């Protein structure tokens, strides 16, 4: 049996119990109480029982307490094996992932774990596992996500220029009072039909759940527009997508604009959006988007949200059933104005909008 060890005396038993009441680590609390019992004159066996440990363990913690004080009674995680990827390796990994592969050179259109492992071996002569690469990418702030689509021949300069256009240009300044409030709306159409979409869902690993997928072709069109700043919207379910339907929707939007306000309606350049026979309501101005830039129209994100939550993975029995579900989905969205604000709000759309 080892020689008895004296407990340092610069901490009184009362003080250790006070520290135990404030400590958040349960193991530290037990050890503080056991050492406090020793300072109160309890036997080694009695003090060990207070702390829920044997006498040898108590002796080891007394040594730690004598050397480091109360903080020494907290468990210190084992350091584990040294990381296989050092700072240089991780910086290289982050750089090539940010840059992405060059298909003619690397032979792939996206990096896989095996490709990154090969690049690390070629550059540094090290061999690592898939899990090591995945953990490093996660620590570096990367996640495995799908790419955002970009239209072919899109003009980035036109998109940036559009974002800088003051919203006040969308209205006729000569016909509006200087203090007229301006609302920014986003408008678009969505086809909803029996040939429906299937969305992602949670399922057991290794399985692929089945869902009904109709091949019939009955469909309708949902004309929708939202004002993200106010969390409101206007929509119509119509059988056709043409200038007559667009006129009805513009009239509906005009009825939802706040009294005394003027609405700038941002929309794409579909033919029926610029038809000559359209009669634009007095409280609305249309602002067409640059060609091939659907990502500027946040109504597209509203459609995606509605499909994923209320319209996909369904079999519509009839045309009326399609219309009913479109109405239900839109009304459910309108009842959640915070959701419209969260999905559709764009900072660039509200810079310099006052007329």
């Amino acid at each position: 049996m080892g020689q008895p060890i004296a407990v340092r005396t610069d901490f009184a038993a009362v003080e250790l119990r006070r520290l135990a009441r404030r400590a958040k680590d349960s193991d530290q609390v037990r050890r503080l109480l056991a050492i406090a019992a020793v300072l109160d004159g309890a036997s080694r066996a009695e003090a060990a029982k207070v702390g829920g440990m044997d006498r040898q363990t108590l002796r080891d913690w007394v040594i730690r307490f004598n050397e480091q004080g109360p903080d020494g009674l907290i468990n210190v995680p084992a350091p584990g094996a040294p990381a296989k990827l050092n700072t240089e390796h991780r910086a290289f990994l982050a750089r090539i992932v940010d840059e992405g592969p060059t298909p003619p050179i690397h032979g792939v259109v996206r990096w896989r774990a095996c490709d990154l492992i090969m690049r690390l071996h070629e550059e540094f002569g090290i061999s690592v596992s898939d899990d090591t690469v995945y953990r490093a990418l996660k620590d570096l702030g990367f996640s495995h996500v799908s790419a955002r689509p970009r239209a072919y021949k899109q003009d980035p300069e036109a998109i940036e220029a559009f974002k800088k256009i003051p919203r006040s240009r969308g209205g006729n300044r000569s016909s509006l009072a200087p203090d007229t409030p301006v609302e920014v709306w986003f408008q678009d159409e969505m086809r909803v039909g029996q040939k429906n979409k299937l969305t992602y869902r949670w399922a057991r690993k290794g399985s692929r759940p089945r869902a009904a997928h109709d091949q019939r072709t009955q469909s309708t069109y949902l004309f929708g527009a939202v004002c993200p700043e106010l969390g409101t919207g206007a929509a119509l379910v119509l059988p056709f997508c043409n200038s007559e339907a667009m006129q009805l929707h513009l009239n509906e939007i005009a009825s939802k604009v706040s009294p005394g306000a003027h609405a700038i309606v941002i929309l794409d350049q579909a033919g029926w959006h610029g038809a000559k026979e359209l009669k634009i309501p007095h409280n609305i101005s249309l602002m067409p988007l640059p060609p091939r830039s659907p990502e500027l129209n946040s109504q597209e994100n509203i459609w995606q949200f509605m499909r994923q939550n209320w319209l996909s993975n369904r079999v519509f029995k009839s045309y009326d059933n399609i219309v009913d579900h479109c109405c239900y989905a839109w009304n459910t969205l309108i009842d959640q104005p915070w959701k419209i604000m969260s999905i559709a709000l764009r900072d660039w759309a509200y810079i310099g909008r006052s007329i």
Side-chain angles (χ1 to χ4, degrees):
M1 181 178 295
Q3 296 296 322
I5 298 176
V7 181
R8 58 191 290 181
T9 57
D10 54 335
F11 287 93
V14 175
E15 187 176 358
L16 292 182
R17 290 192 174 90
R18 187 182 301 113
L19 290 173
R21 285 195 295 271
R22 297 174 182 174
K24 297 181 180 180
D25 187 289
S26 59
D27 292 330
Q28 184 190 22
V29 171
R30 294 189 299 104
R31 293 155 191 165
L32 286 169
L33 294 176
I35 295 175
V38 172
L39 293 175
D40 281 339
S43 67
R44 191 168 160 185
E46 292 171 342
K49 186 176 181 180
V50 169
M53 63 188 79
D54 56 45
R55 291 182 298 171
Q56 182 59 44
T57 303
L58 174 60
R59 184 177 186 275
D60 296 338
W61 284 113
V62 167
I63 294 174
R64 287 273 295 274
F65 175 74
N66 288 343
E67 294 175 352
Q68 304 176 31
D71 290 341
L73 302 179
I74 300 176
N75 289 329
V76 179
K84 292 185 178 181
L85 298 179
N86 59 28
T87 304
E88 184 182 6
H89 301 151
R90 292 160 68 90
F92 172 78
L93 193 61
R95 179 175 61 80
I96 64 174
V97 172
D98 277 330
E99 294 174 353
T102 304
I105 298 175
H106 302 111
V108 293
V109 296
R110 65 180 179 92
W111 289 128
R112 302 165 297 176
C114 59
D115 303 317
L116 297 173
I117 291 171
M118 182 177 65
R119 292 298 311 280
L120 287 168
H121 186 270
E122 292 174 350
E123 187 73 18
F124 302 103
I126 60 173
S127 297
V128 295
S129 66
D130 290 8
D131 289 340
T132 299
V133 170
Y134 291 142
R135 283 194 299 268
L137 290 175
K138 184 177 180 181
D139 292 341
L140 290 168
F142 293 99
S143 59
H144 197 254
V145 296
S146 60
R148 180 179 296 175
R150 177 172 61 85
Y152 180 60
K153 291 187 177 180
Q154 185 182 82
D155 187 352
E157 294 182 359
I159 291 176
E160 291 305 316
F162 179 85
K163 292 181 179 180
K164 296 176 182 178
I165 296 175
R167 297 287 75 83
S168 59
R169 293 187 187 177
N172 188 341
R173 298 175 62 90
S174 62
S175 62
L176 298 177
D179 58 347
T180 301
V182 173
E183 298 176 1
V184 179
W185 289 65
F186 293 88
Q187 189 277 344
D188 196 34
E189 304 84 27
M190 172 176 65
R191 178 185 172 276
V192 182
Q194 291 175 317
K195 191 173 287 187
N196 210 342
K197 294 182 178 293
L198 301 179
T199 62
Y200 285 92
R201 62 176 64 183
W202 290 105
R204 295 286 183 183
K205 287 185 178 180
S207 69
R208 188 176 182 187
R210 297 175 65 86
H213 190 229
D214 202 341
Q215 296 298 314
R216 293 174 294 173
T217 57
Q218 280 194 318
S219 64
T220 190
Y221 291 92
L222 179 56
F223 282 67
V226 294
C227 178
E229 189 177 26
L230 302 179
T232 188
L236 292 174
V237 182
L238 299 168
F240 303 105
C241 193
N242 52 26
S243 56
E244 289 82 1
M246 185 64 187
Q247 183 67 66
L248 293 174
H249 191 215
L250 290 178
N251 296 340
E252 179 67 15
I253 296 172
S255 69
K256 301 296 183 181
V257 177
S258 302
H262 189 85
I264 307 302
V265 181
I266 298 176
L267 70 178
D268 59 37
Q269 298 188 35
W272 53 90
H273 291 169
K276 294 181 179 180
E277 59 267 29
L278 286 180
K279 297 179 180 179
I280 311 301
H282 71 280
N283 60 344
I284 285 179
S285 295
L286 304 185
M287 177 172 284
L289 290 164
R292 306 181 186 90
S293 55
E295 62 270 28
L296 291 179
N297 192 345
S298 56
Q299 183 63 36
E300 298 276 4
N301 302 104
I302 294 291
W303 295 148
Q304 183 182 24
F305 178 79
M306 291 176 62
R307 285 190 187 279
Q308 290 177 344
N309 290 278
W310 301 310
L311 295 174
S312 297
N313 301 333
R314 290 183 181 274
V315 173
F316 299 116
K317 298 178 180 178
S318 62
Y319 177 83
D320 290 340
N321 189 232
I322 300 173
V323 173
D324 290 342
H325 278 90
C326 288
C327 294
Y328 164 77
W330 184 263
N331 290 332
T332 304
L333 176 74
I334 293 300
D335 288 340
Q336 303 175 24
W338 61 90
K339 189 66 69 176
I340 297 174
M341 297 175 182
S342 174
I343 296 173
L345 199 62
R346 300 292 184 271
D347 291 339
W348 57 263
Y350 296 93
I351 298 174
R353 72 185 188 280
S354 298
I355 295 179

